[in-house]
Amino acid sequence: MARSIFLHNSFSPRRLSDSFRGFFFIPISLAFMTSLFIFFYISSTSKLLNINDPHHTDLPIKPPLGSSIIPSPTNSTTQISLRRPTKSFYYSDSLKVAKEAETPPLLKDVAEAAKIRLASNGNHVKEEEVFHDRDVFQEDYKEMNRSLKIYVYPHRRDDPFANVLLPVDYEPGGNYASESYFKKVLMKSHFITKDPSEADLFYLPFSIASLRHDKRIGVGGIQNFIRDYISNISHKYPFWNRTAGADHFYVACHSIGKIAMEKAFEVKNNAIQVVCTSNYFVHGYVPHKDASLPQIWPRKGDPPNVAPSKRKKLAFFAGAINSPVRKELLKVWRNDSDIFVHYGRLKTPYDRELLRSKFCIHVKGFEVNTARIGDALYYGCVPVVIADHYDLPFADILNWKSFSIVVATIDIPLLKKILKGISFDEYLRLQNNVLKARKHFQWHVSPVEYDAFYMVMYELWLRRSYARLPFSNFFESHSLALF
Ligand SMILES: *[C@@H]1O[C@H](CO)[C@@H](O)[C@H](O)[C@H]1NC(C)=O
Ligand SMILES: *[C@@H]1O[C@H](CO)[C@@H](O)[C@H](O)[C@H]1NC(C)=O
Ligand SMILES: *[C@@H]1O[C@H](CO)[C@@H](O)[C@H](O)[C@H]1NC(C)=O
Ligand SMILES: *[C@@H]1O[C@H](CO)[C@@H](O)[C@H](O)[C@H]1NC(C)=O
Ligand SMILES: CC(=O)N[C@H]1CO[C@H](CO)[C@@H](O)[C@@H]1O
């Protein structure tokens, strides 16, 4: 085989191992950076420390950082040693820095850190913008739109699994619509190429949601199906083996997707997984390699507008109490007159509640994702995200801090204090940014520039060269256990 000749003849063993070391450097540094992100995210979203801080009352409460935002490097180390991470953080024992942070900080240092945070508030005008960097994004977006090419494994209409592999012929709806919309829109788009040699990425078109409903497969059969599918395409076409799947991707929204790849390790470890269940704490999702897909309940027509001053209720949540986090929310806030937490069937229309609340709460249920963030944005309500470890959708592009509030689970008791601490001016800014951000969270059968479809394409484009590495044999035998 051409590849083994390449490996055995062109490189001496010593050079090979050097290359492998270089190769390992990428995942290791990525893993390290991710760990740092997680740390900053948790430490910056927790308000627990501040409550003990006598100076706290003087401070405006700063919207916490979104998951992908890097704090100003010069002062980030100060913050590391001063702020207390959540318990769950300790599960990751590779991060020694967390253990050090366990020691309660001196109040003097807390006050100092608070001053630094205050001072840096004024310096980052960009924090107020919906994009991390609008100019860079728009430049890149044009280039992506012009050059990105996707090859889709072809399947015939009479394939016994056409229902799983081909796009649906109706307009997608319901909770997992993002998955179907993506495929439907992609297949008709100018990104598709029939020539695999010009493809940047290869799309695995199976639908996890359809597999789940297919009586021949069902929830229990998904893992075998995926394994067989990969085996089939890797025998029939040369593309999979070239990179062990690293230039391949799939898109899934249902939470069953997070265990669907258990018998297809190469998919899990190498391919780009574009999933709604983008939880950087679970085994199956690899931040940076994978991408977060927003879960969106599709709605027709232009989103309604209700002026901020007409939103009389502070905060709203409704849903099943199916997770410890939701139990906690209910336990603390069930009788509150400002924070309206409803479980079971709502007596009033859901959209009415979203339209008359300032903040709409998204709380982790079975998984970090639900359609609630999309709901909130559509109805112009500022999302409050209580879902630790959620890698927020499009966080590479969007500055979540500018249009949402992220609250750590341990801070649920402080929710009212946090929300009431946001001045009306600050609220106006957040709400105005919600109106700017919401077009990125909408699907259209004929895609509209910068809508959810184009945003996903952009996320793929960012990852397109992720692992264009020549050492495919290495992937095959080791399956990147590091991740
Ligand atoms: C994206 O590409 C399509 C098809 O070539 C084109 O019609 C559209 O104007 C492009 N959009 C941008 C922003 O470049
Ligand atoms: C794999 O290929 C075999 C033989 O063509 C076919 O019967 C089977 O349905 C395929 N399985 C998947 C999951 O594509
Ligand atoms: C890909 O690799 C598998 C496992 O090593 C092998 O069985 C298969 O024949 C290869 N496919 C192609 C197209 O060479
Ligand atoms: C809320 O009200 C119910 C019944 O009125 C009461 O049993 C419960 O203890 C109250 N919970 C809180 C947190 O105040
Ligand atoms: C960029 C920035 O905010 N730098 C600050 C870091 O902290 C020191 C005090 O420890 C300040 O003097 C800097 O201005």
Side-chain angles (χ1 to χ4, degrees):
M1 258 188 339
R3 192 181 44 251
S4 36
I5 293 167
F6 173 63
L7 279 177
H8 296 301
N9 295 354
S10 330
F11 288 93
S12 67
R14 157 132 192 93
R15 280 192 54 198
L16 244 189
S17 76
D18 280 348
S19 313
F20 280 162
R21 205 170 304 141
F23 169 75
F24 265 112
F25 180 71
I26 301 168
I28 289 173
S29 44
L30 273 178
F32 177 70
M33 291 208 13
T34 305
S35 312
L36 276 181
F37 282 162
I38 294 172
F39 182 78
F40 285 131
Y41 171 80
I42 292 169
S43 61
S44 60
T45 51
S46 173
K47 294 285 181 305
L48 263 202
L49 275 182
N50 290 346
I51 202 108
N52 301 323
D53 170 11
H55 303 263
H56 176 63
T57 42
D58 303 330
L59 297 174
I61 289 170
K62 199 180 160 208
L65 295 171
S67 57
S68 77
I69 293 143
I70 312 165
S72 93
T74 32
N75 283 331
S76 51
T77 24
T78 337
Q79 293 205 5
I80 282 195
S81 56
L82 288 178
R83 312 203 85 203
R84 193 200 309 261
T86 61
K87 279 230 173 48
S88 48
F89 187 64
Y90 296 117
Y91 293 144
S92 165
D93 50 21
S94 62
L95 296 166
K96 296 279 185 296
V97 66
K99 299 271 192 271
E100 284 155 27
E102 212 167 353
T103 337
L106 295 170
L107 282 180
K108 186 170 118 318
D109 296 341
V110 174
E112 196 56 38
K115 265 194 224 138
I116 292 167
R117 283 202 304 278
L118 250 185
S120 67
N121 248 352
N123 298 338
H124 297 281
V125 183
K126 288 232 156 152
E127 278 177 10
E128 314 233 317
E129 289 179 8
V130 169
F131 295 96
H132 294 306
D133 192 322
R134 177 187 297 272
D135 297 342
V136 168
F137 172 60
Q138 284 182 344
E139 270 310 294
D140 276 8
Y141 178 97
K142 272 191 211 131
E143 181 56 23
M144 173 280 290
N145 188 43
R146 196 186 58 73
S147 67
L148 181 62
K149 290 290 170 242
I150 311 279
Y151 179 82
V152 186
Y153 285 104
H155 296 286
R156 295 152 52 113
R157 291 232 149 257
D158 62 358
D159 187 300
F161 287 104
N163 60 324
V164 168
L165 300 166
L166 298 181
V168 294
D169 50 18
Y170 48 87
E171 181 149 3
N175 246 330
Y176 309 109
S178 293
E179 180 186 290
S180 311
Y181 260 115
F182 178 81
K183 180 156 55 177
K184 196 174 173 65
V185 178
L186 174 74
M187 300 300 259
K188 286 199 207 138
S189 74
H190 67 280
F191 296 107
I192 295 289
T193 178
K194 294 242 180 297
D195 175 6
S197 71
E198 69 169 30
D200 298 289
L201 293 168
F202 294 78
Y203 177 44
L204 306 164
F206 49 71
S207 154
I208 298 290
S210 311
L211 283 169
R212 190 172 152 258
H213 287 301
D214 191 314
K215 288 207 165 53
R216 296 165 295 179
I217 309 290
V219 170
I222 295 182
Q223 295 179 1
N224 286 345
F225 182 93
I226 304 290
R227 181 197 59 203
D228 297 347
Y229 183 82
I230 299 300
S231 165
N232 282 0
I233 58 147
S234 69
H235 282 89
K236 193 165 170 195
Y237 303 91
F239 319 122
W240 183 269
N241 284 4
R242 268 191 333 205
T243 60
D247 51 4
H248 285 57
F249 72 96
Y250 72 90
V251 174
C253 196
H254 195 276
S255 61
I256 200 76
K258 70 183 178 180
I259 52 157
M261 305 300 143
E262 289 302 308
K263 291 182 182 168
F265 288 104
E266 289 184 334
V267 181
K268 187 161 97 178
N269 294 332
N270 305 339
I272 303 163
Q273 308 181 95
V274 183
V275 292
C276 293
T277 50
S278 52
N279 179 342
Y280 53 66
F281 193 59
V282 300
H283 184 51
Y285 180 81
V286 184
H288 305 289
K289 173 179 82 67
D290 299 335
S292 175
L293 176 72
Q295 182 165 354
I296 295 162
W297 183 286
R299 292 186 167 81
K300 288 236 182 338
D302 286 338
N305 278 324
V306 169
S309 59
K310 298 227 170 81
R311 296 175 177 269
K312 299 291 183 204
K313 287 194 170 178
L314 182 65
F316 164 74
F317 171 84
I321 303 302
N322 59 6
S323 69
V325 190
R326 290 189 182 178
K327 278 204 187 94
E328 171 72 6
L329 185 79
L330 187 68
K331 196 181 98 202
V332 179
W333 298 111
R334 66 182 299 168
N335 301 335
D336 195 82
S337 51
D338 290 316
I339 295 184
F340 182 73
V341 178
H342 195 95
Y343 64 102
R345 226 186 155 71
L346 260 182
K347 287 182 199 77
T348 48
Y350 180 56
D351 54 355
R352 206 178 111 203
E353 297 301 333
L354 295 166
L355 284 169
R356 66 178 182 183
S357 304
K358 284 194 169 60
F359 296 97
C360 293
I361 305 173
H362 163 93
V363 194
K364 181 186 189 298
F366 291 119
E367 248 308 330
V368 287
N369 59 297
T370 72
R372 281 186 184 74
I373 291 182
D375 295 345
L377 294 174
Y378 184 84
Y379 288 104
C381 185
V382 174
V384 176
V385 183
I386 310 179
D388 295 358
H389 315 298
Y390 187 10
D391 190 9
L392 290 162
F394 313 140
D396 296 318
I397 310 157
L398 299 178
N399 174 14
W400 276 82
K401 203 177 161 182
S402 73
F403 61 91
S404 73
I405 305 291
V406 180
V407 176
T409 300
I410 50 164
D411 290 341
I412 285 177
L414 306 178
L415 195 54
K416 184 139 79 171
K417 197 177 166 73
I418 292 170
L419 297 182
K420 288 213 156 171
I422 294 167
S423 69
F424 192 65
D425 280 354
E426 174 82 341
Y427 179 76
L428 288 181
R429 180 179 70 75
L430 287 163
Q431 205 266 349
N432 190 37
N433 284 339
V434 163
L435 304 185
K436 288 183 193 160
R438 65 184 174 186
K439 66 166 181 269
H440 308 300
F441 294 82
Q442 277 168 299
W443 291 101
H444 304 275
V445 174
S446 303
V448 174
E449 297 285 351
Y450 301 109
D451 72 357
F453 171 71
Y454 280 102
M455 296 295 274
V456 173
M457 294 312 286
Y458 184 82
E459 292 283 358
L460 286 167
W461 188 75
L462 286 180
R463 288 159 176 77
R464 72 202 178 285
S465 56
Y466 177 75
R468 292 226 142 183
L469 298 165
F471 303 108
S472 45
N473 269 6
F474 177 77
F475 274 109
E476 279 160 28
S477 47
H478 293 76
S479 220
L480 275 185
L482 247 178
F483 279 125

